[in-house]
Amino acid sequence: MTIPYCGAPPAPADLLSAWNLDPIVLALLAAAHFGGEWRLRGRSGPARLWHRLAIASLFLAFVSPLCALSSALFSVRVVHHLLLISLAAPLLALAWPQRRAFPLAGLSVLALVHVVLVWLWHAPAPYALALSHDAVYWLMELSLLGSAVVLWRGLLAPGAPLMRVLLIHLGIVAQMGLLGALITFAPDPLYAPHFLSTLPYGLSALEDQQLAGLLMWVPANLPYLLAALLALATHLRAEERAA
């Protein structure tokens, strides 16, 4: 049996002590934190707060016992990925904003690439491969986070066309909902690494999978819906001031 990067699935009694103290990850997070603090010195606005919250969410995903629990439960793996693409990524985009809008076609391509990666890494075979090889695991994590940061920067960039931004947000909501529904209503367990690891937590593999699908179906979409509403409200306020 191969051991995932975050470690073997912990017993419930051992969960609170199952911190990931990989020195490389700790060093990278420390470098990102202090490097960001140094580069943001003197910046006005909440950029430093966004940066700190982003680093905290990455610490939660990769260092806290949540990392180990994601080896046991697919539903927690979904939470882990949502921390990357729906929390850390928009926070990093706010801390390090895009100065100019992407071309229309470029923004659409970024959205397509991100959606393809989300579907790819939640397909059973690539997901199982990522949990059996550390290099593939980091390819999964970094591609999800990286594509999400670039996309969020494009969506939040000043001058980004409102209708295209709204359509991309709604498109992501639709595809997340579809993926969540497919996972929720699958008649059999799909994710081999979790066929047995869920049992100590009182869940069958299928119940854990259904919970994961529901998380992807509803909570995962809230940041995109909120961002779409904020973009629309900002546009309407700008039109009122111009009138």
Side-chain angles (χ1 to χ4, degrees):
M1 176 181 174
T2 56
I3 298 177
Y5 167 77
C6 288
D14 299 329
L15 180 60
L16 292 180
S17 62
W19 291 77
N20 176 27
L21 301 180
D22 182 346
I24 295 177
V25 169
L26 293 175
L28 288 174
L29 287 174
H33 171 69
F34 291 110
E37 289 287 310
W38 183 78
R39 291 189 63 188
L40 290 170
R41 69 194 188 286
R43 281 265 300 268
S44 59
R48 295 178 71 178
L49 174 61
W50 301 139
H51 178 75
R52 291 169 184 173
L53 290 174
I55 297 301
S57 63
L58 293 174
F59 183 89
L60 178 61
F62 290 111
V63 179
S64 81
L66 185 80
C67 185
L69 188 56
S70 68
S71 295
L73 300 176
F74 180 61
S75 55
V76 177
R77 178 71 61 185
V78 167
V79 172
H80 173 99
H81 284 167
L82 295 182
L83 284 173
L84 301 185
I85 66 176
S86 297
L87 184 60
L91 288 170
L92 288 170
L94 289 167
W96 307 96
Q98 182 77 21
R99 297 304 180 187
R100 292 186 298 176
F102 287 118
L104 285 179
L107 192 56
S108 299
V109 169
L110 290 174
L112 178 60
V113 168
H114 179 63
V115 166
V116 168
L117 287 169
V118 169
W119 280 73
L120 171 69
W121 292 119
H122 292 91
Y127 176 80
L129 184 64
L131 264 64
S132 60
H133 296 279
D134 286 355
V136 183
Y137 171 85
W138 282 112
L139 177 62
M140 174 177 71
E141 302 295 273
L142 294 176
S143 64
L144 288 173
L145 177 61
S147 65
V149 170
V150 175
L151 177 59
W152 275 104
R153 291 186 77 209
L155 292 171
L156 296 173
L162 176 66
M163 287 308 300
R164 184 60 60 97
V165 168
L166 294 179
L167 286 173
I168 288 175
H169 279 306
L170 294 178
I172 292 176
V173 167
Q175 67 83 26
M176 282 283 203
L178 177 58
L179 180 57
L182 290 174
I183 292 172
T184 301
F185 294 114
D188 300 302
L190 301 173
Y191 298 93
H194 303 290
F195 282 175
L196 299 176
S197 62
T198 66
L199 297 178
Y201 293 87
L203 294 170
S204 69
L206 185 58
E207 290 169 338
D208 175 48
Q209 183 176 295
Q210 290 167 342
L211 177 58
L214 290 173
L215 289 169
M216 190 170 288
W217 198 350
V218 182
N221 283 323
L222 295 179
Y224 301 97
L225 290 171
L226 178 60
L229 291 173
L230 288 175
L232 182 58
T234 300
H235 175 76
L236 292 176
R237 283 198 300 269
E239 285 196 336
E240 286 180 0
R241 287 195 297 266

